[in-house]
Amino acid sequence: MTAKIIDGSAISQQIRNELATEVAAFQKQTGVTPHLAAVLVGENPASAVYVRAKQKACETTGLRSTLHKLSADTTQQELLDLIAELNRAPDVHGILVQLPLPKQIDQQVVLDAVTPLKDVDAFHPENVGLIAQGRPRFLPCTPHGVQQLLVASQTQVAGAHVVILGRSEIVGKPLAMMLVQKGAAADATVTVCHSRTRNLPELTRQADILIAAIGVPRFVTAEMVRPGAVVIDVGINRVDEKLVGDVDFDAVKEIASAITPVPKGVGPMTIAMLLKNTLTAARLAT
Ligand SMILES: NC(=O)c1ccc[n+]([C@@H]2O[C@H](COP(=O)([O-])OP(=O)(O)OC[C@H]3O[C@@H](n4cnc5c(N)ncnc54)[C@H](OP(=O)(O)O)[C@@H]3O)[C@@H](O)[C@H]2O)c1
């Protein structure tokens, strides 16, 4: 069996087209253009690429985006002052702080300083709490993108055993919280694995849906996948100037029923979900 390729580029484009229509209608009704303020600290080239991609996506969907670029030696207080200013600005609806931050800055302190109503990444403890209770204000972009890929590929999530590799605050943990909720594209039985998990292949082979988010190139081999499973690869790793995922794509596609590629899988979905949250934030403020 060769797996169906779940095309994140095409699916995200369709979502962005629908969003563009929603943004135009919102604008016509309220006179307000949803506005994302992105904050980039330092010279990390990958971060600069991600921020540029997010800004470009805003522009092509009818949202406004502004970039606040700070030098690598910015102090924590300077960054907190900027966040406070953006929190107060009535024409800013979403605030995105691109990670990672330079080491003199405590990431947690900065993310906690973003007002929950403009927290389009859904990192603030108030928003995380709302997700845990099944009444989200914003859904975190990458986990929401994964969930939308499962919907678009008509994968049966209810009752499925989902095995997630990785327990980060950005991907693994919130994704597990979302998939275990009652409701559409959820109701799954979820196992979360991490670097201390014993007998990992035994667990991954039980997965109806296997989601890899660990940041280890081609970690998931064909032997770790149950024939017919749906495999979602969140990983983005640079190997010999090439982007590869956490899944050995060429081998696993021969045994999975559906699989996401890297690039053009989860990545573009993350951006589409960020745009969606910015529109939600503008609605909340208007
Ligand atoms: N496509 C996108 O839009 C997008 C968005 C975000 C992240 N990513 C990518 O997704 C990957 C993960 O990102 P992240 O931010 O979640 O990473 P992270 O914060 O580094 O967390 C990695 C997780 O994987 C676990 N892990 C690492 N090695 C493992 C192993 N050999 N076996 C089992 N578990 C292992 C870690 O376990 P411990 O907790 O025990 O250390 C940790 O929970 C990266 O490649 C990142 O670039 C992609």
Side-chain angles (χ1 to χ4, degrees):
M1 182 202 309
T2 298
K4 176 175 85 177
I5 308 299
I6 304 175
D7 183 346
S9 282
I11 296 166
S12 68
Q13 190 53 56
Q14 198 185 329
I15 292 173
R16 278 165 58 174
N17 293 345
E18 288 162 11
L19 263 176
T21 308
E22 280 186 58
V23 168
F26 173 77
Q27 224 165 5
K28 197 167 164 207
Q29 198 189 344
T30 63
V32 173
T33 304
H35 176 189
L36 177 71
V39 180
L40 177 63
V41 188
E43 305 295 333
N44 183 328
S47 293
V49 170
Y50 289 142
V51 167
R52 215 172 303 129
K54 289 169 185 174
Q55 284 204 285
K56 201 169 151 221
C58 279
E59 284 149 26
T60 56
T61 315
L63 293 94
R64 181 177 164 211
S65 80
T66 46
L67 175 62
H68 299 263
K69 206 165 177 302
L70 304 180
S71 64
D73 61 359
T74 299
T75 65
Q76 182 164 306
Q77 193 53 52
E78 284 167 337
L79 181 53
L80 289 173
D81 289 346
L82 172 62
I83 303 281
E85 194 185 305
L86 297 173
N87 282 343
R88 283 191 303 268
D91 69 328
V92 169
H93 305 110
I95 301 172
L96 165 102
V97 181
Q98 185 63 45
L99 303 178
L101 293 169
K103 52 183 179 311
Q104 74 275 15
I105 296 174
D106 185 332
Q107 186 169 300
Q108 199 66 64
V109 171
V110 171
L111 296 181
D112 287 358
V114 174
T115 184
L117 288 167
K118 298 187 181 185
D119 172 37
V120 286
D121 269 324
F123 291 157
H124 191 282
E126 182 178 311
N127 287 323
V128 176
L130 289 171
I131 296 160
Q133 291 185 344
R135 49 188 189 125
R137 176 186 286 141
F138 300 113
L139 287 170
C141 302
T142 301
H144 194 198
V146 169
Q147 197 176 33
Q148 290 301 308
L149 284 177
L150 293 173
V151 171
S153 60
Q154 296 176 325
T155 302
Q156 172 78 29
V157 182
H161 183 193
V162 179
V163 176
I164 301 174
L165 302 186
R167 59 173 164 183
S168 75
E169 304 297 336
I170 294 175
V171 190
K173 209 188 279 181
L175 181 57
M177 279 198 301
M178 287 163 58
L179 295 180
V180 86
Q181 299 294 337
K182 287 187 177 175
D187 277 323
T189 302
V190 181
T191 301
V192 182
C193 303
H194 47 78
S195 67
R196 304 292 299 273
T197 299
R198 269 189 252 130
N199 303 328
L200 193 75
E202 218 171 90
L203 289 166
T204 58
R205 276 196 296 269
Q206 291 173 28
D208 301 308
I209 302 170
L210 179 60
I211 303 172
I214 58 175
V216 181
R218 302 187 185 108
F219 178 86
V220 176
T221 58
E223 295 68 41
M224 294 169 73
V225 177
R226 190 178 61 75
V230 172
V231 179
I232 307 286
D233 191 351
V234 181
I236 302 177
N237 311 287
R238 192 168 286 279
V239 177
D240 302 330
E241 292 309 303
K242 215 178 132 212
L243 289 184
V244 301
D246 290 345
V247 175
D248 182 355
F249 181 85
D250 290 337
V252 172
K253 80 174 186 332
E254 298 305 324
I255 102 163
S257 63
I259 186 168
T260 59
V262 177
K264 300 187 177 175
V266 175
M269 294 298 290
T270 296
I271 296 182
M273 296 304 117
L274 174 70
L275 305 180
K276 205 177 178 59
N277 282 348
T278 305
L279 174 58
T280 301
R283 285 200 168 117
L284 288 171
T286 307

